[in-house]
Amino acid sequence: MSSNEIFELLSESGARRLPDPLRKLGGKAVASSEEWEQGRREEVLRLFEERVFGAGPVGRPRRIAFEVKPTEGWMGGSAVRKQVRIRSEGPGGENVVRLLLFVPVSAKERPVPAFLLINNRGSEHMDAAREKRSPFWPAEAIVARGFAAAVFDNADADPDHHDGFRDGVHGVFDPPGERPGHAWGTIAAWAWAASRAMDYLETDHHIDASKAAVVGHSRGGKTALWAGAADRRFALVVSNNSGCTGAAVSRGKGGETIRQINDRFPHWFCENYKAYNDNEYALPVDQHMLIGLIAPRHVYVASATEDLWADPESEFLGLTFASPVYRLYGMDGIAGLPMPTAEQPLHTNGMGYHLRAGGHDMTEYDWQRFMDYAERFLCD
């Protein structure tokens, strides 16, 4: 199915009217991956920075350091634990993000791929002592399948409350004076921290950083998508139950809307995003275009049958209408394929999707499907 055919189907639905990712703001169509790379991709990325997530004042800081504490004998002797402190310094002081890894002992012979979780559920879900184990981050199961299991707490980068952007990395790096409308919000700060974790992974000789996946659930899933769009080092981007301003297209979406998310969480996005409250159709981008920014790398979206606030159908459509970008690179999207029923994963060489029975959560079932996909397409 061609890009034009896809968007004809979209128009026939009458409810979505999504912007075409392969048409520049001036109206010119994009017909090749070269044309996407030479202008349209940057245009879309900047629109998301200016209108949705905000632009940060710094990428990798000039002053950054990694303190690593490794210990062996974990998980019945099958893993090495590494506790890493990522220290970043800026005009407003210092920020420390604690990164926890369990690496299979097989990595001593050959570097292994890694799954990096953006943890938005609190420290009890990433217990370094493994006295508390959670299906939200099943580190033992990840290591058993030959992957390094990495995680950081998003609150280390920026606590999840609205204090006027004085704490976290905003307080360390924001320039003085009034914040512009496109200044980075909290989700952009969490995505920034994921990139700093990737900075460390690239230095670890036990990790194959070219095969690193970033994973997030709910607000963390929104963060994973933005991290993967902005930082092309992530080879696989996994977004679980991410809903509004995540994988779900906003036009015609059920459940949570842009107004509702901005009213409840005014600090998550840039101030400019509030102009689209009850005004989704004026936004020059939609979430399928965020997913398109990940091409030609792999992307995986997961939904849950009872998670109507996130709207599984709109999450699936996010992948569907990102497919034309993947096809520029000769990769299969999912356009033209029906939405699968629960527990029937859909995997192509560009995209993965599954619908899990149940509610708003991330379970070991979800993780096993993410790893199935990675084994097939990332580790071949």
Side-chain angles (χ1 to χ4, degrees):
M1 184 177 288
S2 69
S3 174
N4 287 338
E5 289 172 328
I6 292 170
F7 281 92
E8 283 173 12
L9 285 175
L10 188 79
S11 299
E12 288 170 6
S13 73
R16 301 287 178 164
R17 290 183 283 133
L18 297 180
D20 188 339
L22 301 186
R23 192 166 295 277
K24 295 184 177 181
L25 291 177
K28 183 180 179 181
V30 172
S32 68
S33 59
E34 290 77 16
E35 290 180 354
W36 170 260
E37 293 284 350
Q38 290 170 6
R40 179 56 171 163
R41 186 185 187 279
E42 184 69 15
E43 184 177 72
V44 172
L45 184 68
R46 296 297 162 239
L47 286 170
F48 274 103
E49 278 191 338
E50 295 166 4
R51 312 293 178 89
V52 182
F53 297 103
V58 64
R60 178 180 172 129
R62 287 190 299 111
R63 288 178 288 179
I64 186 171
F66 311 114
E67 300 172 2
V68 187
K69 181 181 178 182
T71 54
E72 299 195 8
W74 291 90
M75 300 179 181
S78 67
V80 175
R81 186 184 73 183
K82 298 187 181 185
Q83 294 172 288
V84 183
R85 295 173 69 85
I86 302 172
R87 295 186 176 276
S88 301
E89 293 183 40
E94 180 184 73
N95 174 259
V96 178
V97 172
R98 295 162 299 162
L99 179 68
L100 173 64
L101 296 92
F102 288 95
V103 183
V105 293
S106 61
K108 295 179 180 179
E109 312 256 331
R110 181 180 180 183
V112 297
F115 276 94
L116 170 67
L117 174 63
I118 302 165
N119 177 35
N120 59 295
R121 284 283 185 89
S123 58
E124 67 270 19
H125 293 281
M126 48 179 282
D127 180 23
R130 307 314 293 152
E131 294 173 357
K132 298 178 182 178
R133 299 185 185 184
S134 168
F136 191 77
W137 187 58
E140 284 77 8
I142 297 169
V143 168
R145 292 189 63 168
F147 297 96
V151 63
F152 72 91
D153 192 331
N154 63 352
D156 280 357
D158 196 36
D160 192 5
H161 58 259
H162 191 30
D163 74 335
F165 303 102
R166 293 188 298 272
D167 57 8
V169 295
H170 295 113
V172 172
F173 293 108
D174 276 4
E178 185 176 350
R179 300 183 98 237
H182 66 275
W184 59 337
T186 292
I187 282 179
W190 296 338
W192 177 91
S195 289
R196 305 293 69 79
M198 181 56 129
D199 290 342
Y200 167 74
L201 294 177
E202 287 187 318
T203 71
D204 192 321
H205 62 278
H206 291 145
I207 303 296
D208 184 348
S210 70
K211 296 178 180 178
V214 60
V215 182
H217 165 72
S218 192
R219 64 199 66 184
K222 308 177 205 299
T223 306
L225 288 171
W226 182 233
D231 189 338
R232 301 183 83 170
R233 294 176 296 174
F234 292 110
L236 170 62
V237 179
V238 181
S239 178
N240 187 79
N241 297 185
S242 59
C244 181
T245 323
V249 293
S250 296
R251 289 161 169 85
K253 182 185 178 299
E256 189 173 33
T257 66
I258 291 176
R259 170 175 287 283
Q260 288 168 324
I261 203 169
N262 276 329
D263 285 351
R264 293 180 66 209
F265 306 104
H267 56 295
W268 279 5
F269 308 103
C270 71
E271 190 65 24
N272 288 343
Y273 195 41
K274 295 178 177 63
Y276 302 100
N277 291 350
D278 302 323
N279 194 27
E280 291 87 349
Y281 289 89
L283 191 62
V285 292
D286 210 319
Q287 298 309 109
H288 64 302
M289 297 164 73
L290 177 64
I291 294 172
L293 290 172
I294 297 167
R297 293 161 295 133
H298 302 285
V299 62
Y300 197 112
V301 171
S303 305
T305 57
E306 298 173 14
D307 193 5
L308 303 184
W309 194 240
D311 188 0
E313 180 184 1
S314 291
E315 291 176 321
F316 184 74
L317 287 178
L319 286 176
T320 298
F321 296 110
S323 295
V325 183
Y326 276 78
R327 294 197 173 179
L328 293 178
Y329 294 92
M331 302 178 75
D332 295 327
I334 62 169
L337 299 176
M339 183 173 175
T341 56
E343 276 80 53
Q344 296 296 319
L346 175 61
H347 294 173
T348 74
N349 68 353
M351 298 176 169
Y353 178 83
H354 74 252
L355 177 68
R356 171 182 47 77
H360 189 70
D361 200 357
M362 188 159 63
T363 70
E364 188 163 338
Y365 173 86
D366 297 308
W367 277 100
Q368 293 294 348
R369 302 296 78 76
F370 305 155
M371 291 187 283
D372 288 347
Y373 185 88
E375 285 180 349
R376 183 177 176 188
F377 295 108
L378 192 62
C379 303
D380 56 357

